[in-house]
């Protein structure tokens, strides 16, 4: 027998596919059957992650009671909520009494609802009066966000609806592989190709997306910036620049044009490995079509020069006159489920709700007014995510940390070092669905609600605000993070301004964001239901919202977009005699982020039970590694071991490994934490690596003591 269906959204990526959950009796219980809903982004499509998401709701590993331990490394014991919350409040308070207000902090996640992200930032600033808050979205979107803010005056990943892709005549994807990571989005690309559109992909790997494209540019990892400058050099040389657009809608072009002289085609071919003839063809396709899009992804952005790389592609888009034109422009494809909303409402160290900046006196006054506190009480900006993790347990660093919806023990760069820093804390509390690798290190673990058990809002990759709906009750003993933060605030003596009702928190968020760049003032839950989501900015309930930005002006003081001079430089680590190859990392089709959820989903584990390193057959032959053989990867930070997958889709000087796995397969133990100076994005996407066929007699643990990290 079936119960009534409820429509909500997938818990995973930023496409936030609409899905319908229908209760069905199965054996002695009830399960939720998942089907795709006719939502504007996915039109009924779901990938295997979405289709299997309901498996997690009743998963036997699910945490259903708070866990505490009195001594580190001893087993956890079950505790009451009162004891667990008291211990967290005490841990945070003691750290602040001993080491000052910033010694207590919170690390959040890009999968949290808008309400939770908002409440997390407010909790740290108001209840803890601490500067120590940041989140894992810093490892995802911060380079694109920094670049878009500099160039356009605002960061909304896609300034147009996803469906516009189907209307573009030429689309260039840079470091983005939607065919694997968000398959339902491919319908818009396919529709464009059916209309005759031309698609180009820039990626060191011949991914499924590249295979479906007309042109594949396969640069050396870490050279996208030089490639963008090289294409723009050719656009100038062939008089393909839209001079009327540049004169009327931008500033800063003359300096960029001068700087481009250094990017003559032969030099760019030497840096990137992309043949001049391919660059010539690409720039003509981009410049000579009626509607052209440049879409960026983490492959271009997760570098120590990621924000400059994004700016280089934006320069190309501006020179060709794309942003603001119909079915044209530059956009970035956000990754995490609420990667867009999660970066708008104050869980970043330097931000207040609505994309206001914490250092701006007017912004402080507005938000403090909504929160009912004195603006002078609000702390100044704190440090970014990796800097916070790197400083845990040190003088001046955080001593007591609450982690929500993030598994930094696996997902942070130089993850083995981060685990050491977590162990050095005076106190660690983690709120999660499962006993993640981070939760295993904690003093207190809180069991939290998940997607289909809670109401709230999410903001998808288009800037469309959506409703997450409660479909089923959470297991007894589980609480939402909103309730946790409100209870902790009360125990810390600052409970009055905190609500735990998601609708009340959203209404407060609307007031706090009013007048900001990400203005949600006019968005109500009723409107979201009636209109299939509302695009921000939406400044009043009479405002229809803004599906397309930049048509008439950019939100900068003079209404113009800005060019920026940006130059290529080498990756923070380049191959040498000791580490002669390049390692790049990313997502695989069946898994998601640190794998906390997808490694517990049978259908996904069946599809991909273990990770594999993509390696070119020529390189594998030189190393003596056969298909399926064990490969040891070694960087200046650590070692890992994975099965080899021989494929010609990867360059012979580069290997690719997914980052969803733990233990000996924690690829982020190997990645380089060198940071982008503007966005503080770590260099996940390229580092120097040594490769060796693994000997079966090796000891179980290959971990080596940390070496001095040259990146600092
Ligand atoms: Fe979920 Fe993303 Fe797959 Fe859609 S594409 S079903 S949002 S994981």
């Amino acid at each position: 027998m079936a119960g009534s269906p409820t429509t909500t959204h997938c818990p995973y990526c930023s496409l936030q596919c609409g899905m319908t959950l229908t209760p069905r009796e199965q054996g002695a219980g009830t399960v939720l059957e998942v089907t795709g809903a006719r939502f504007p982004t996915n039109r009924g499509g779901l990938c295997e992650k979405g289709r299997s998401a309901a498996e997690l709701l009743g998963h036997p590993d699910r945490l259903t009671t708070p866990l505490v331990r009195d001594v580190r490394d001893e087993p956890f014991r079950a505790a009451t909520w009162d004891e667990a919350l008291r211990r967290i409040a005490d841990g945070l308070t003691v750290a602040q009494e001993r080491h000052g207000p910033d010694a207590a902090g919170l690390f959040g996640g890009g999968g949290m609802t808008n309400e939770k992200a908002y409440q997390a930032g407010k909790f740290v600033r108001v209840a803890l009066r601490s500067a120590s808050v940041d989140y894992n979205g810093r490892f995802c979107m911060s380079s694109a966000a920094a670049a878009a803010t500099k160039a356009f005056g605002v960061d909304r990943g896609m300034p147009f609806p996803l469906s516009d892709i189907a209307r573009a005549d030429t689309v260039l994807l840079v470091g983005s592989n939607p065919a694997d990571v968000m398959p339902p989005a491919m319908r818009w690309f396919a529709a464009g190709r059916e209309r005759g559109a031309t698609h180009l992909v820039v990626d060191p790997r011949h991914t499924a997306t590249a295979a479906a494209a007309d042109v594949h540019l396969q640069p050396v990892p870490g050279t996208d910036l030089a490639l963008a400058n090289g294409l723009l050099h050719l656009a100038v040389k062939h008089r393909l620049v839209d001079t009327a657009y540049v004169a009327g809608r931008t500033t800063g072009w003359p300096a960029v044009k001068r700087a481009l002289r250094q990017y003559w085609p032969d030099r760019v071919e030497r840096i990137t490995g992309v043949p001049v003839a391919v660059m010539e063809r690409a720039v003509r396709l981009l410049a000579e079509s009626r509607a052209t899009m440049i879409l960026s992804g983490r492959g271009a952005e997760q570098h120590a020069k990621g924000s400059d790389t994004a700016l280089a592609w934006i320069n190309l888009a501006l020179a060709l006159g794309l942003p603001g034109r119909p079915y044209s422009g530059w956009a970035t494809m956000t990754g995490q489920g609420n990667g867009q909303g999660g970066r708008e409402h104050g869980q970043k160290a330097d931000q207040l709700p609505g994309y206001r900046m914490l250092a701006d006196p007017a912004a402080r006054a507005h938000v403090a007014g909504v929160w009912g506190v004195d603006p002078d009480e609000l702390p100044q900006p704190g440090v970014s995510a990796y800097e916070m993790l790197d400083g845990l347990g040190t003088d001046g660093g955080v001593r007591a940390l609450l982690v929500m919806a993030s598994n930094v023990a696996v997902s942070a760069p130089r993850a083995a070092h981060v685990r050491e820093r977590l162990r050095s804390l005076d106190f660690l509390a983690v709120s999660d669905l499962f006993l993640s690798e981070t939760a295993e290190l904690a003093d207190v673990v809180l069991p939290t609600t998940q997607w289909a058990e809670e109401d709230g809002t999410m903001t998808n990759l288009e800037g469309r605000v959506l409703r997450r709906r409660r479909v089923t009750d959470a297991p007894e003993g589980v609480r939402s993070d909103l309730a946790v933060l409100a209870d902790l605030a009360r125990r810390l003596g600052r409970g009055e301004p905190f609500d735990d009702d998601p609708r009340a928190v959203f209404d407060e968020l609307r007031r706090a964001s009013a007048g900001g760049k990400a203005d949600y003032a006019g968005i109500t839950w009723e409107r979201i239901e009636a209109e299939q989501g509302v695009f921000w900015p939406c400044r009043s309930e009479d405002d229809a919202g803004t599906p397309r930005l930049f048509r008439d002006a950019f939100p900068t003081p003079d209404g113009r977009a800005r060019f920026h001079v940006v130059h290529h430089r080498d990756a923070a680590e380049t191959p040498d005699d000791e580490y002669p190859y390049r390692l790049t990392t990313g997502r695989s089709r069946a898994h998601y982020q640190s794998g906390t959820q997808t490694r517990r989903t049978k259908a996904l584990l069946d599809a991909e039970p273990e990770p594999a390193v993509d390696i070119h057959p020529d390189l594998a032959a030189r190393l003596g590694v056969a298909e399926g053989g064990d490969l040891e990867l070694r960087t200046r930070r650590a070692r890992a071991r994975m099965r080899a997958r021989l494929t010609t889709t990867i360059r012979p000087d580069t290997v690719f490994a997914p980052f969803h796995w733990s233990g000996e397969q924690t690829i982020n133990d190997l990645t380089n934490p060198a940071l982008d100076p503007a966005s503080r994005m770590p260099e996940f996407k390229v580092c120097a690596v040594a490769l060796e066929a693994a000997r079966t007699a090796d000891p179980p643990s290959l971990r080596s003591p940390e070496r001095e990290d040259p990146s600092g």
Side-chain angles (χ1 to χ4, degrees), residues 62-85:
R62 186 81 188 275
L63 296 171
T64 55
T65 183
L67 302 173
V68 301
R69 56 181 155 207
D70 303 307
V71 179
R72 285 266 170 90
D73 299 328
E74 284 195 353
F76 286 110
R77 64 174 170 78
T80 62
W81 272 96
D82 181 57
E83 182 189 1
L85 291 170

Side-chain angles (χ1 to χ4, degrees), residues 10 12-17 19 45-47 49-51 181-184:
C10 174
Y12 292 116
C13 83
S14 66
L15 194 57
Q16 286 294 289
C17 293
M19 56 169 54
L46 293 175
C47 75
K49 293 189 285 288
R51 282 195 298 273
V181 302
M182 50 177 69

Side-chain angles (χ1 to χ4, degrees), residues 581-601:
Y581 307 106
R582 289 183 179 84
L583 167 66
T584 189
T585 68
R587 282 163 60 180
S588 59
R589 190 178 174 104
H591 290 280
Y592 184 71
Q593 303 300 79
S594 72
T596 305
Q597 291 146 287
T598 54
R599 282 188 275 125
R600 289 181 165 88
T601 302

Side-chain angles (χ1 to χ4, degrees), residues 268-291:
V268 174
E269 178 177 319
R270 278 197 302 279
I271 296 171
T272 65
V274 177
V276 172
V278 177
M279 286 190 273
E280 291 273 8
R281 182 175 174 214
V283 78
R284 289 209 177 271
L285 286 168
L286 295 173
E288 292 174 351
S289 96
R290 184 188 55 89

Side-chain angles (χ1 to χ4, degrees), residues 520-536:
Y520 282 37
I523 303 176
T524 63
W525 281 19
E526 289 75 17
R527 284 191 64 183
I528 297 172
E529 305 262 2
E531 300 170 30
Q532 291 204 300
V534 180
F535 289 84
W536 68 259

Side-chain angles (χ1 to χ4, degrees), residues 546-628:
T546 318
R548 293 178 181 84
L549 297 169
F550 314 148
R551 276 215 276 226
D552 304 316
F554 295 92
T556 54
D558 59 6
R560 290 165 175 258
R562 274 136 178 74
F563 280 97
H564 289 82
V565 174
V566 286
H567 283 296
H568 168 74
R569 56 260 189 204
D570 284 339
E573 274 181 5
T574 50
D576 55 21
D577 289 347
E578 199 176 351
Y579 300 95
Y581 307 106
R582 289 183 179 84
L583 167 66
T584 189
T585 68
R587 282 163 60 180
S588 59
R589 190 178 174 104
H591 290 280
Y592 184 71
Q593 303 300 79
S594 72
T596 305
Q597 291 146 287
T598 54
R599 282 188 275 125
R600 289 181 165 88
T601 302
K602 184 177 178 309
L604 302 177
L605 262 185
D606 287 348
E608 191 180 324
E610 60 172 342
V613 186
D614 284 358
I615 181 168
H616 195 280
D618 294 349
L619 177 54
R622 282 210 299 281
L623 297 170
V625 180
E627 171 72 25

